[in-house]
Amino acid sequence: MKVFFLCFCVCLALPLSYAAPAHHDGIMADEPEDHLHPKGEDHQLDRCKGIEFDAITPDEKGNTFFFKGDHLWKGFTGPAELSGGTFKELDEHSHLDHVDAAFRMHHGDDPNTHDHIFFFLDDKVFSYKNYTLENGYPVDIQQEFPGIPNHLDAAVECPKGECVTDSVLFFKGNEVYHFDIKTKLTKKKVWSHLPNCTSTFRWLEHYYCFHGHNFTRFHPISGEVTGVYPKDARNYFMRCGEGFGHGAGTRKLQCSDIKLNAITTDSKGRAYAFQGSVYMRLDTHREGNHPFLISRQWKEISGAVDAVFSYGDNMYIIQGGQVYIYKSEAHYTLIEGYPKPLKEELGIDGPVDAAFLCANQHIIHIIQGQKMYDIDLMASPRAIKKEMPIPFPKIDAGLCDADGVKVFIGPEYYDYGSPMLLALGKASPQPHKISPEKFGCEQ
């Protein structure tokens, strides 16, 4: 795992704070929140006065652009500037007064379209790579995206796993066009229950329809809306001073404060770290480091977890004497019949301190106090296969990745080449300090 954690709650009674590149401070209970003051924003284009965006898209580095008329904002804070200063060919070709829609093609098998930004203006589409217009563009929308109408309202990518195939969703009024990137086939649906989206945004596997100064989160396949919507974008996607946002009293997290409860990577490569009642994605650093309540992703889990590990397409979450097993789909689904007693599922009594599983293995290593227990997940019934001492009285979390085993104790971690080397170690190796580069905290 090349990208680590994180920021999190030092105490559950206090608000969470963290460091993120040009993003936010605050617990992400449901949506992203930004708590940085905009500086020098264009007087005539003030996001905090209820602007309806024409388009929203991230670039290949994860920076998010918000478009309105011939202006854009780079990121979740900062002043408006002319769009032609960054994407000059848009203005040269079309005397730009607005962008209809935009999206980043970050997924898909075709390297010729990977990590490109597409802009839609009237009946034309522009393709940018590294802020440079691709040769041959602009072209007619129908030439690049057969079956997609002109004068669009919004567009957003939808990778396989979240949609059935690698797709793009195009919006015009209450009509939604699902475009299959590989086959170039289009299916049209009518989502009359969803507001007319003037822009759309995919962020950390969730989909947002912006309308007016509000937004509504929706399911990319069905268009289903769950939760209380619409919500005011000024509370979540920008800082607008008094009367907006929820981050009062936060502070930057110090690396010395970090103490993990669990850390794991699932079968889809999604990496998570858990602390207290929150978690953070570790593999989406281009979208920034953002903590969320655990219950946002795993609805049946309340409070802190003891250990988490992934086996096959399932994620196991251990809390006290119970184990929850979730299918690692686009959004985690609790398997019917769970939670179950830990003793019944794994043949060991809880609580536990840590659990980790190495890639392509079926032996789960569970740590309680100063002992490590090996359990064969292919056995039936499951039971402790081996018991070994470890050179620590107590650890907080453990992880096995391509580099070996990492044992986390407070703001430090220890590297071992394998679980066996951890068990055979008579003395602990030199600890590594959690660094700002890896964990997004401050020294």
Side-chain angles (χ1 to χ4, degrees):
M1 182 182 304
K2 296 181 180 178
V3 183
F4 279 116
F5 194 52
L6 143 46
C7 321
F8 56 85
C9 288
V10 177
C11 173
L12 296 182
L14 297 176
L16 178 72
S17 161
Y18 58 94
H23 279 61
H24 332 298
D25 293 321
I27 290 183
M28 313 300 241
D30 188 39
E31 319 293 354
E33 298 183 67
D34 188 77
H35 303 290
L36 301 176
H37 289 283
K39 295 173 285 188
E41 201 156 302
D42 188 301
H43 288 299
Q44 307 213 335
L45 281 176
D46 185 350
R47 283 191 282 190
C48 295
K49 292 184 177 178
I51 280 180
E52 182 174 75
F53 298 114
D54 295 328
I56 304 173
T57 182
D59 67 7
E60 56 267 38
K61 297 180 177 62
N63 304 308
T64 301
F65 292 90
F66 296 79
F67 293 84
K68 179 63 178 180
D70 59 353
H71 281 67
L72 62 77
W73 290 265
K74 295 179 179 178
F76 294 82
T77 187
E81 58 187 69
L82 288 171
S83 303
T86 302
F87 303 100
K88 60 185 180 66
E89 296 89 351
L90 292 177
D91 189 52
E92 291 175 357
H93 282 270
S94 302
H95 304 293
L96 179 68
D97 63 356
H98 75 286
V99 174
D100 289 333
F103 75 92
R104 178 189 68 188
M105 182 85 79
H106 179 50
H107 296 267
D109 299 325
D110 185 355
N112 294 321
T113 58
H114 183 70
D115 265 353
H116 287 221
I117 302 177
F118 290 92
F119 293 97
F120 298 82
L121 283 76
D122 298 327
D123 60 349
K124 301 295 183 183
V125 58
F126 297 69
S127 176
Y128 276 80
K129 179 77 171 181
N130 293 324
Y131 301 106
T132 301
L133 185 67
E134 292 278 279
N135 291 334
Y137 287 88
V139 299
D140 290 343
I141 292 175
Q142 292 285 323
Q143 179 179 334
E144 187 78 24
F145 300 97
I148 302 304
N150 299 331
H151 303 284
L152 291 164
D153 291 332
V156 65
E157 68 168 337
C158 185
K160 184 177 180 179
E162 297 169 32
C163 281
V164 178
T165 62
D166 285 320
S167 306
V168 183
L169 275 58
F170 294 95
F171 294 76
K172 185 169 183 176
N174 61 7
E175 296 177 343
V176 181
Y177 299 80
H178 281 73
F179 180 84
D180 187 305
I181 294 172
K182 187 174 183 179
T183 66
K184 293 187 178 295
L185 296 176
T186 300
K187 293 182 180 179
K188 185 174 78 170
K189 300 180 180 179
V190 176
W191 288 352
S192 56
H193 63 282
L194 197 66
N196 286 356
C197 309
T198 61
S199 57
T200 46
F201 183 37
R202 174 183 178 268
W203 190 78
L204 292 178
E205 301 177 351
H206 288 286
Y207 293 78
Y208 301 91
C209 162
F210 285 76
H211 44 98
H213 57 79
N214 296 318
F215 69 91
T216 296
R217 198 174 77 189
F218 64 93
H219 192 285
I221 297 177
S222 65
E224 180 184 6
V225 175
T226 57
V228 180
Y229 290 94
K231 295 181 180 179
D232 194 320
R234 292 171 291 182
N235 284 329
Y236 299 92
F237 291 90
M238 62 207 77
R239 175 62 188 231
C240 291
E242 187 175 353
F244 294 98
H246 313 287
T250 60
R251 67 178 180 84
K252 295 293 185 182
L253 184 78
Q254 301 300 304
C255 294
S256 58
D257 291 331
I258 292 180
K259 183 181 179 182
L260 304 182
N261 290 124
I263 183 169
T264 192
T265 301
D266 72 7
S267 60
K268 299 183 182 298
R270 296 175 293 192
Y272 301 90
F274 298 79
Q275 165 62 29
S277 61
V278 301
Y279 76 93
M280 179 174 288
R281 280 286 294 273
L282 309 182
D283 60 306
T284 54
H285 59 288
R286 298 201 311 179
E287 278 75 22
N289 295 329
H290 305 278
F292 293 91
L293 291 174
I294 294 172
S295 56
R296 175 183 184 267
Q297 186 73 278
W298 299 275
K299 296 179 174 57
E300 296 79 8
I301 303 295
S302 176
V305 302
D306 296 329
V308 181
F309 69 92
S310 299
Y311 178 56
D313 290 329
N314 295 330
M315 177 178 285
Y316 291 64
I317 298 181
I318 300 174
Q319 189 180 53
Q322 301 284 325
V323 59
Y324 299 74
I325 304 182
Y326 288 85
K327 288 186 177 295
S328 299
E329 298 170 337
H331 301 289
Y332 292 93
T333 304
L334 185 67
I335 293 177
E336 187 176 352
Y338 287 86
K340 289 184 178 180
L342 186 60
K343 182 71 172 180
E344 178 183 335
E345 184 69 29
L346 297 178
I348 188 171
D349 292 312
V352 304
D353 295 327
F356 57 88
L357 187 74
C358 299
N360 303 315
Q361 299 295 314
H362 53 85
I363 302 297
I364 179 67
H365 307 280
I366 293 182
I367 294 177
Q368 288 180 320
Q370 207 162 353
K371 291 184 178 180
M372 181 169 70
Y373 300 95
D374 288 357
I375 298 169
D376 188 346
L377 293 174
M378 296 185 69
S380 183
R382 293 166 175 168
I384 294 172
K385 181 180 179 181
K386 186 185 295 185
E387 175 185 329
M388 295 171 285
I390 60 172
F392 300 100
K394 183 176 174 58
I395 71 169
D396 298 325
L399 174 73
C400 186
D401 60 14
D403 299 322
V405 174
K406 291 178 174 63
V407 173
F408 294 82
I409 302 176
E412 299 177 333
Y413 64 95
Y414 301 80
D415 278 325
Y416 291 89
S418 68
M420 185 58 68
L421 291 175
L422 168 61
L424 294 176
K426 300 300 181 185
S428 58
Q430 187 69 24
H432 301 278
K433 292 285 187 183
I434 287 174
S435 66
E437 294 76 21
K438 290 183 178 180
F439 288 79
C441 52
E442 291 188 347
Q443 291 283 31

